[in-house]
Amino acid sequence: MAFKENKKLPHFEEYIPHLAYDSVIFGFNGRQIKILLLEYHNTGLFALPGGFVKRNEHLDDAVKRGLKGRTGLDNIYLEQFHTFGDTTRAAPEVMRTIIEANKMEIEEGNWLLDRFISVAYYALINYDDVHPIPDELSDSINWYAIDELPSLMMDHEKIVEKALKTLRENLDKKLTGTNLLPPKFTMKDLQHLYEAILGEELRRTTFQRKMLGTNILMRHEKLFGGGAHKAPYLYSFKTIGDG
Amino acid sequence: MAFKENKKLPHFEEYIPHLAYDSVIFGFNGRQIKILLLEYHNTGLFALPGGFVKRNEHLDDAVKRGLKGRTGLDNIYLEQFHTFGDTTRAAPEVMRTIIEANKMEIEEGNWLLDRFISVAYYALINYDDVHPIPDELSDSINWYAIDELPSLMMDHEKIVEKALKTLRENLDKKLTGTNLLPPKFTMKDLQHLYEAILGEELRRTTFQRKMLGTNILMRHEKLFGGGAHKAPYLYSFKTIGDG
């Protein structure tokens, strides 16, 4: 959750009650998949970056607004993957802890203490392009490796799990159009990306055969440097219109 | 939308405001894919069956409740596929038309005239198992072939389109566990199902080779009757634990 507006609590009149979004922002650094997490001031609570939807705002625009506010990034690949509507999501004590740790007050019956349904999105971005911007209420926003996440508040671990499951399905299609790799990359670079997302090591020969079979890659010149016969080919993702 | 409770308008206190669900219920009759649609009394308005979520109800349970109320079916394969959060979804005049056609009154500012975010689900069921139950406010609920749908109200056509797109992705995985075919079926039965969902004719030899390659089918005895050398094999979907 985010309370950026003037360091005041978001007001009921401005937002759709009971509705939130959460975003799972995957970053890749060439070796590891990481996720962007907020840590709330003096609470030890870690959370996915999320927020609320304004009364006259498209749901997708609310998520883009939140993401831009925290990463400075525009126009990134955002996909809605699931809406979490469990009744056990109501967590007034968590909200109260966060607000009180920030020396603000919240009255009984405030809409922020209600049950929230959360629409979850994921994004896949290049780790190096992002300079996280701390939230007004959070003392840190940082990248965490997916295999070394701290405990997350509420059902946020479940949300990350579902995001990862969704990302791993149809991975070939999902990587095209992202900037997780440079425009031209080697088969080894691509394998590292797959291994990081799938969380397992892959056999080089099998991987190469499979990828060349998907028809999503275009082959270019060899990588400059080293002995010519050893230099690996460079590839790029095909875009629409490529043969 | 559904107003089954005592023929009165659903009350604000009982439901989460601004939140609705819509369900795209696909049925198969051996040849054609159909969708269940409501037609509202004296309005000419066609809609997907949908409804509201009670304040203390799990989102998934609300959808199951609505579906059971209209089809009598329990325990069917329901998958959430997208949440529609466009600001243009607000449609007070449509709601007013439906309510007034039913000789009920709605006051200015009633929560039903607000903007709604709708979480959409699809279900895949066997056409023959279902006896639609008319909604209190609807004069008919019927099956319509997907290529002969009437105009739908609000953004319901967009919702159907997205449901169909989702269904067509990873179809092999999605059919396992459904009851769209009898427990044992021929390759021809299976091909008809694929053709109905994909909306295109498939080549028999290519289809058979592809399906046998997916490893989702188990082969049984030949279909009884006819010359033995012509009788087709019967198949079933593998369940977990089958070889």
Side-chain angles (χ1 to χ4, degrees):
Chain A
M1 272 139 285
F3 312 107
K4 299 203 66 166
E5 287 79 12
N6 311 318
K7 296 196 185 183
K8 276 189 269 179
L9 289 182
H11 196 271
F12 175 71
E13 304 261 308
E14 200 181 344
Y15 297 92
I16 296 182
H18 300 283
L19 186 70
Y21 68 83
D22 283 294
S23 51
V24 184
I25 306 174
F26 292 107
F28 182 62
N29 68 351
R31 283 282 165 179
Q32 244 185 337
I33 289 288
K34 297 189 173 189
I35 291 177
L36 213 49
L37 293 178
L38 286 176
E39 184 182 354
Y40 286 108
H41 260 322
N42 310 321
T43 62
L45 290 171
F46 288 88
L48 292 170
F52 306 113
V53 183
K54 293 185 178 174
R55 296 232 169 210
N56 286 308
E57 183 177 40
H58 192 305
L59 175 59
D60 294 346
D61 292 337
V63 186
K64 283 181 203 152
R65 173 172 56 81
L67 201 51
K68 192 181 175 188
R70 294 218 182 70
T71 63
L73 277 182
D74 248 336
N75 290 321
I76 65 168
Y77 178 82
L78 261 171
E79 186 167 304
Q80 193 199 98
F81 66 94
H82 196 72
T83 296
F84 293 82
D86 204 307
T87 47
T88 60
R89 299 198 84 254
E93 70 294 341
V94 172
M95 186 60 84
R96 214 186 286 274
T97 303
I98 294 171
I99 290 168
E100 289 173 359
N102 280 273
K103 301 187 173 45
M104 290 195 281
E105 280 176 23
I106 186 161
E107 74 281 13
E108 208 57 54
N110 185 295
W111 73 291
L112 292 171
L113 303 176
D114 282 339
R115 168 187 178 191
F116 279 84
I117 278 88
S118 183
V119 188
Y121 287 70
Y122 75 80
L124 221 79
I125 60 181
N126 192 322
Y127 187 91
D128 297 325
D129 293 349
V130 176
H131 308 286
I133 299 164
D135 192 86
E136 300 288 342
L137 277 204
S138 59
D139 56 1
S140 67
I141 178 163
N142 276 309
W143 290 107
Y144 293 82
I146 46 168
D147 48 1
E148 292 166 16
L149 295 186
S151 276
L152 305 184
M153 71 181 212
M154 292 175 62
D155 58 352
H156 288 196
E157 281 170 32
K158 207 172 116 188
I159 297 177
V160 170
E161 221 170 88
K162 180 89 178 171
L164 209 45
K165 187 169 173 286
T166 309
L167 178 62
R168 286 171 176 166
E169 288 166 2
N170 284 324
L171 191 51
D172 305 341
K173 283 182 199 157
K174 283 169 184 163
L175 292 179
T176 316
T178 65
N179 65 346
L180 295 186
L181 293 173
K184 290 184 185 176
F185 47 83
T186 65
M187 192 58 79
K188 200 176 191 176
D189 295 334
L190 186 63
Q191 186 173 342
H192 286 152
L193 176 56
Y194 269 76
E195 288 178 333
I197 294 176
L198 297 176
E200 54 180 323
E201 294 200 6
L202 303 169
R203 282 192 54 192
R204 193 183 59 82
T205 47
T206 320
F207 178 76
Q208 175 153 347
R209 193 177 338 113
K210 182 174 164 282
M211 289 316 299
L212 295 174
T214 59
N215 200 31
I216 61 170
L217 296 178
M218 178 170 254
R219 198 171 84 172
H220 301 276
E221 72 284 13
K222 288 196 167 195
L223 181 65
F224 180 74
H229 71 287
K230 278 184 157 182
Y233 279 106
L234 289 171
Y235 296 88
S236 65
F237 289 117
K238 277 187 187 171
T239 51
I240 295 162
D242 287 344
Chain B
M1 273 139 282
F3 313 110
K4 298 205 67 168
E5 289 78 12
N6 310 318
K7 295 195 183 182
K8 276 189 267 177
L9 289 182
H11 196 271
F12 175 71
E13 305 261 306
E14 201 181 343
Y15 297 92
I16 296 181
H18 300 284
L19 186 70
Y21 68 84
D22 282 295
S23 51
V24 184
I25 304 175
F26 293 107
F28 182 62
N29 68 351
R31 283 283 166 179
Q32 244 185 336
I33 289 288
K34 298 191 172 188
I35 290 177
L36 212 50
L37 293 179
L38 285 178
E39 183 181 356
Y40 286 109
H41 259 322
N42 310 320
T43 62
L45 289 172
F46 289 88
L48 292 170
F52 307 114
V53 184
K54 294 186 178 173
R55 298 232 168 207
N56 286 308
E57 183 177 40
H58 191 304
L59 174 59
D60 294 345
D61 292 336
V63 185
K64 283 181 204 154
R65 173 172 56 81
L67 201 52
K68 191 181 174 188
R70 294 217 182 70
T71 63
L73 278 182
D74 247 338
N75 290 321
I76 64 169
Y77 179 82
L78 262 170
E79 187 168 303
Q80 193 199 97
F81 66 93
H82 196 73
T83 295
F84 293 81
D86 205 306
T87 47
T88 60
R89 298 198 86 254
E93 69 296 340
V94 171
M95 186 59 85
R96 214 185 286 275
T97 303
I98 294 171
I99 290 168
E100 289 173 358
N102 280 273
K103 302 188 172 42
M104 289 195 282
E105 281 176 21
I106 186 161
E107 73 281 12
E108 209 58 55
N110 185 296
W111 72 291
L112 292 171
L113 303 176
D114 283 340
R115 167 188 178 190
F116 279 85
I117 278 85
S118 183
V119 187
Y121 287 71
Y122 75 80
L124 220 79
I125 59 181
N126 191 323
Y127 188 89
D128 297 324
D129 294 349
V130 176
H131 309 285
I133 299 164
D135 193 85
E136 300 289 341
L137 277 203
S138 59
D139 56 0
S140 68
I141 177 162
N142 276 310
W143 290 107
Y144 293 82
I146 46 169
D147 47 2
E148 292 167 16
L149 294 186
S151 276
L152 304 184
M153 70 180 215
M154 293 175 61
D155 59 351
H156 289 196
E157 282 170 31
K158 207 171 118 188
I159 297 178
V160 171
E161 220 172 87
K162 179 89 177 172
L164 210 45
K165 187 167 173 283
T166 308
L167 179 61
R168 287 171 176 165
E169 288 166 5
N170 284 322
L171 191 51
D172 305 340
K173 282 181 200 159
K174 282 169 185 165
L175 292 180
T176 316
T178 65
N179 66 346
L180 294 186
L181 293 173
K184 291 185 185 177
F185 47 82
T186 65
M187 191 58 80
K188 200 175 192 176
D189 295 333
L190 187 63
Q191 186 173 342
H192 286 151
L193 176 56
Y194 269 77
E195 289 178 334
I197 294 176
L198 297 176
E200 54 179 325
E201 295 199 5
L202 302 169
R203 282 193 52 191
R204 193 182 59 82
T205 48
T206 321
F207 177 76
Q208 175 153 348
R209 194 176 337 112
K210 183 174 164 281
M211 289 314 299
L212 294 175
T214 59
N215 199 31
I216 60 169
L217 296 177
M218 179 170 255
R219 197 169 86 173
H220 301 277
E221 72 284 12
K222 288 195 168 197
L223 182 64
F224 180 75
H229 72 289
K230 278 186 160 181
Y233 279 106
L234 288 171
Y235 296 88
S236 66
F237 289 118
K238 277 186 188 170
T239 51
I240 295 161
D242 288 343

